[in-house]
Amino acid sequence: MNEWSGSKDLTYEEFVRFRDFIHAASGIYMEDTKQDSLRISLVTRATRLGLSSFSEYFAVLERDEHELNELLNLVTINETSFFRFPQQFEALRTRVLPEIMANKPDSNRTIRIWSAGCSTGEEPYSIAMTVIDAGILSLGWRVQILGTDVSTRALNVAKKGEYPKRSLLNVPSEVLARHFEPVPGGYAVAPHVRSLVDFGYHNLIKEPYPLALMGNWDIIFCRNVTIYFKLESTKRVVSNFFNSLNEGGYLFIGHSETLSQINDQFEAVEVGGVFLYRKPKTRRGIGIAARKPAGAPMPPAEPPALGQREAAVGRSSRTTGRKPERDAEQHSAARRPRPAPRASSSEAQAPDPVQAARAALEEGRVAEALELAQRIIASDPNNADGHLIVAYVHADAGDYAAALESCHRALAINPLLPSARYILGIIYQRQGDVVRAVSEFKKTVYIDDSFALAHFNLANIYKSQRKWDAAAREYENALRALYKSPEGAWTEFLGGFKIDLLAKTCERSLLECRKAMGVS
Amino acid sequence: MAARILAVDDSPTILEMIKAILESGGYEVITASDGNEALEKARGEHPDLILLDVMLPKLDGYRVCRLLKFDQNYKSIPIIMLTAKTEEQAMATGIRTGADQYLTKPVEPDTLLAAVAEELSKAKGQ
């Protein structure tokens, strides 16, 4: 079946077959949104083996554990980098480490940190550098950091500790100077950092955990790992973390992840816009009755019924990149009170709370938009549009940390949301992180080439960098997109300005670029 | 010498468009993207006019306006505030904060240029 003579399409049935096999063998569960990335991994591996169909490759996978490892190495490739989401390392340095040190008896001056799902080692090394820079080693403290991962190839890279230059672009030069040594083609983590870190193989799904991992951890990092797991597995993993942590110990999860619906034993602690999870200290005589997580980032929500969840995912992908029609009818309809969202097959007629929230946003009723969006998320945490609206409101209010978090939540549900990419780009741009801004704007237009504002912003950035050629090209792209899709989703980011003005601005700037290039 | 205008908006997209409008009117434009930066640039560079968005992170436009208008050294700088459509009641606040003029967003380029010209000539006449 399915020879690769034509397109290398992975049918949904085939996807499910691989997904379930991978899930059974490794615990890693791939949501439907991962279908294409799995397809690419499969084609890559199968081609490497000289196979010509997915079914042939499946047969190999079934009998060859080594091949399963090879595939997992590709599947679990994570976007890792040093100091990824730096606010978390800042929180580690300023809040978590001091608190843990303060809680230890004088007789115990060892801090143990586990980086679970450490991939190629950037995270545990970043932790080590943060610890060193916090200056606690000179105070007589010992710090042990363990990185574990399910990918042996990733672990080999981690142990080697050498990274190409391009993967260190985000590392400030003084950190580079302090904690790295140049090697041909890149940098190696310096010995004083490496000496704090050990690596080992571990599959988070495989229970029971080895004794060495159970218990006595002060801090566990497990960021952007559980997104690969199904809810049940995630619950077990997080529960194992809870049991492995010392009282008062901290769990760091990815900034787009949440423990809501996964575990209510941790208390949520906010540090500088970052949510961390702390294992509470036992109160003697009190049972483990339900403890409300303090300050959880999301309102406690009813677990959605399965059908509802699927409907929501469908809805959110359908509305992707499209904007509700802007007629008077819709606005007045949006104000009418609506029944709570229910899974419904006749969706076309079902009132859409997302549209109501959007309408509120467009009319400047920001607080109302936020409340509506939060209600949408409460009843359906997988509603990407809900997260997007929250992101929009926060970004507009200048609360970038919260906006980033909501964007990432939306993207975790649907990585192909042009508006989420665009908002990320805007936030990075406002934060002065031009490299990331460019990357997000590029992703935006990659997903939706008619997103004129993303072209426009790319152009503006290139212009400010005096890359006239690239800037001119993007202004042209912006103009083309603008005429092609004057009603596109991007128009909601125009702040009410007319498209004509954008067009004029593009034309003006285009002229400027051409002049600078010496073409008039 | 061309008059220098400080344009303040937290959206780089909108800022770029406003900048284009102003530059097409022959003005020199400096920009700021939040309230603190606006204050710093207003004090540090003493522009001829400030175009101030209301919704700004850190310090909103009204506060920036009030801080400047109640300061002997800066109160002569004309301030045009840009408000969103739904902020009608805020206009009253705008007047109390001492803004010289307010325009509702989205503003027409011609309207903006006319308002700028008007405030600049008023300031000159003083």
Side-chain angles (χ1 to χ4, degrees):
Chain A
M1 67 183 218
N2 292 295
E3 291 297 318
W4 280 351
S5 45
S7 70
K8 295 180 177 175
D9 281 346
L10 182 68
T11 65
Y12 189 70
E13 284 72 19
E14 288 172 310
F15 167 69
V16 168
R17 193 170 170 217
F18 279 103
R19 179 196 68 193
D20 291 346
F21 178 77
I22 292 169
H23 182 220
S26 70
I28 291 169
Y29 184 79
M30 309 180 87
E31 296 289 352
D32 287 3
T33 53
K34 291 273 191 290
Q35 182 168 344
D36 200 52
S37 84
L38 177 62
R39 182 186 65 80
I40 293 166
S41 302
L42 293 174
V43 171
T44 308
R45 281 310 304 161
T47 314
R48 186 78 52 86
L49 299 180
L51 303 174
S52 59
S53 74
F54 290 118
S55 54
E56 276 180 50
Y57 182 67
F58 188 83
V60 174
L61 204 56
E62 271 187 316
R63 60 167 193 264
D64 185 354
E65 203 175 311
H66 173 73
E67 183 51 36
L68 177 66
N69 259 333
E70 291 294 329
L71 180 64
L72 287 182
N73 283 337
L74 285 185
V75 163
T76 58
I77 280 181
N78 210 334
E79 200 193 312
T80 67
S81 57
F82 283 93
F83 299 101
R84 184 172 183 202
F85 208 62
Q87 294 93 319
Q88 292 190 327
F89 292 95
E90 189 59 18
L92 172 66
R93 190 177 65 82
T94 58
R95 165 73 179 266
V96 176
L97 285 173
E99 189 178 308
I100 282 171
M101 288 158 68
N103 284 337
K104 293 237 176 200
D106 284 345
S107 55
N108 177 1
R109 299 211 138 208
T110 301
I111 297 173
R112 299 183 72 232
I113 306 173
W114 175 14
S115 162
C118 68
S119 187
T120 40
E122 287 88 341
E123 181 179 270
Y125 287 134
S126 300
I127 297 170
M129 292 172 201
T130 306
V131 164
I132 293 167
D133 289 344
I136 64 178
L137 299 179
S138 57
L139 299 173
W141 287 82
R142 260 189 80 206
V143 175
Q144 299 172 344
I145 300 164
L146 175 70
T148 63
D149 202 274
V150 71
S151 162
T152 45
R153 182 188 292 175
L155 283 172
N156 286 336
V157 175
K159 283 178 197 163
K160 204 163 175 223
E162 288 182 9
Y163 300 89
K165 274 198 180 113
R166 65 180 154 73
S167 74
L168 295 162
L169 286 176
N170 291 333
V171 180
S173 52
E174 75 272 12
V175 175
L176 214 50
R178 232 183 4 254
H179 296 314
F180 289 85
E181 291 172 347
V183 292
Y187 289 90
V189 175
H192 69 277
V193 179
R194 295 170 71 145
S195 67
L196 298 186
V197 186
D198 283 317
F199 291 99
Y201 173 89
H202 178 241
N203 183 343
L204 287 166
I205 295 300
K206 222 166 171 188
E207 294 179 292
Y209 285 9
L211 274 180
L213 288 178
M214 288 305 289
N216 204 19
W217 293 104
D218 295 302
I219 299 165
I220 297 176
F221 274 72
C222 185
R223 305 188 302 165
N224 309 312
V225 174
T226 61
I227 47 178
Y228 294 109
F229 299 148
K230 264 190 146 171
L231 185 64
E232 270 319 303
S233 306
T234 306
K235 280 182 177 173
R236 296 205 61 87
V237 170
V238 172
S239 162
N240 278 321
F241 288 155
F242 185 86
N243 294 331
S244 303
L245 276 170
N246 292 331
E247 285 182 8
Y250 275 85
L251 172 65
F252 285 67
I253 60 176
H255 61 286
S256 59
E257 297 170 291
T258 170
L259 288 192
S260 121
Q261 324 226 344
I262 291 171
N263 185 302
D264 60 2
Q265 293 171 287
F266 283 95
E267 44 192 15
V269 179
E270 201 221 305
V271 185
V274 174
F275 278 95
L276 309 174
Y277 294 89
R278 182 170 55 197
K279 179 172 178 174
K281 292 188 184 156
T282 320
R283 291 172 202 169
R284 246 166 274 154
I286 297 178
I288 31 168
R291 184 196 303 272
K292 271 225 171 86
M298 284 294 151
E302 296 297 314
L306 199 63
Q308 196 176 340
R309 183 181 153 136
E310 279 159 6
V313 171
R315 186 166 65 237
S316 110
S317 58
R318 273 200 318 115
T319 52
T320 295
R322 256 192 279 154
K323 178 185 183 63
E325 270 70 53
R326 251 202 236 205
D327 50 296
E329 218 25 66
Q330 182 236 327
H331 279 188
S332 64
R335 287 213 189 91
R336 260 181 262 134
R338 300 178 176 288
R342 281 278 158 261
S344 156
S345 52
S346 58
E347 239 194 279
Q349 290 167 351
D352 187 351
V354 169
Q355 292 211 0
R358 275 189 200 281
L361 198 58
E362 276 177 36
E363 288 164 26
R365 291 175 281 121
V366 176
E368 189 187 331
L370 183 62
E371 201 196 313
L372 283 169
Q374 279 168 343
R375 222 180 288 158
I376 293 166
I377 297 167
S379 73
D380 173 9
N382 282 311
N383 189 312
D385 288 317
H387 291 293
L388 213 49
I389 292 165
V390 173
Y392 190 97
V393 172
H394 286 316
D396 220 38
D399 186 350
Y400 299 142
L404 283 174
E405 176 169 341
S406 294
C407 273
H408 284 299
R409 277 171 207 262
L411 287 169
I413 297 160
N414 180 357
L416 296 178
L417 285 171
S419 301
R421 292 289 172 203
Y422 180 77
I423 297 174
L424 282 180
I426 289 291
I427 294 169
Y428 290 135
Q429 194 180 1
R430 291 188 197 181
Q431 290 179 329
D433 189 342
V434 178
V435 174
R436 280 197 176 147
V438 167
S439 153
E440 293 301 337
F441 290 139
K442 278 187 179 164
K443 285 179 195 159
T444 311
V445 297
Y446 180 76
I447 301 166
D448 176 6
D449 186 49
S450 64
F451 208 107
L453 276 178
H455 288 296
F456 178 64
N457 280 295
L458 274 173
N460 290 336
I461 292 173
Y462 291 140
K463 184 170 139 235
S464 71
Q465 295 172 333
R466 309 175 79 81
K467 293 178 182 163
W468 309 113
D469 205 7
R473 196 180 55 238
E474 287 300 339
Y475 283 123
E476 282 165 2
N477 286 338
L479 282 166
R480 199 173 305 129
L482 194 148
Y483 293 124
K484 197 176 114 196
S485 128
E487 288 282 308
W490 58 273
T491 51
E492 64 188 300
F493 298 99
L494 263 175
F497 279 92
K498 293 221 176 95
I499 294 178
D500 298 2
L501 175 59
L502 179 64
K504 272 189 210 148
T505 310
C506 288
E507 282 161 8
R508 238 183 87 81
S509 300
L510 183 57
L511 274 179
E512 216 182 302
C513 293
R514 290 198 178 138
K515 243 186 224 164
M517 287 156 69
V519 192
S520 49
Chain B
M1 206 175 76
R4 218 149 45 108
I5 299 175
L6 171 61
V8 189
D9 200 301
D10 59 334
S11 158
T13 320
I14 288 169
L15 206 50
E16 199 65 32
M17 287 193 274
I18 289 176
K19 204 173 144 202
I21 299 174
L22 294 172
E23 284 175 352
S24 75
Y27 300 109
E28 189 190 323
V29 184
I30 50 178
T31 60
S33 51
D34 65 52
N36 286 344
E37 195 189 350
L39 267 188
E40 265 171 41
K41 292 217 167 142
R43 289 171 178 156
E45 313 217 0
H46 216 99
D48 298 300
L49 182 142
I50 300 172
L51 202 60
L52 193 57
D53 184 34
V54 170
M55 288 274 287
L56 290 174
K58 293 186 186 164
L59 201 62
D60 72 37
Y62 294 128
R63 293 211 187 123
V64 173
C65 184
R66 210 175 295 138
L67 284 166
L68 291 170
K69 284 295 180 186
F70 286 75
D71 186 326
Q72 288 301 326
N73 297 320
Y74 305 102
K75 70 173 191 183
S76 63
I77 304 176
I79 296 182
I80 298 175
M81 305 225 31
L82 290 173
T83 64
K85 228 178 215 163
T86 46
E87 293 174 297
E88 280 109 339
Q89 82 272 35
M91 287 189 184
T93 328
I95 294 165
R96 273 209 309 275
T97 56
D100 297 85
Q101 207 173 126
Y102 41 88
L103 299 172
T104 47
K105 282 211 279 190
V107 66
E108 290 292 331
D110 292 344
T111 316
L112 178 62
L113 288 174
V116 167
E118 185 193 338
E119 293 306 328
L120 282 172
S121 74
K122 264 203 270 176
K124 236 183 199 168
Q126 274 172 5

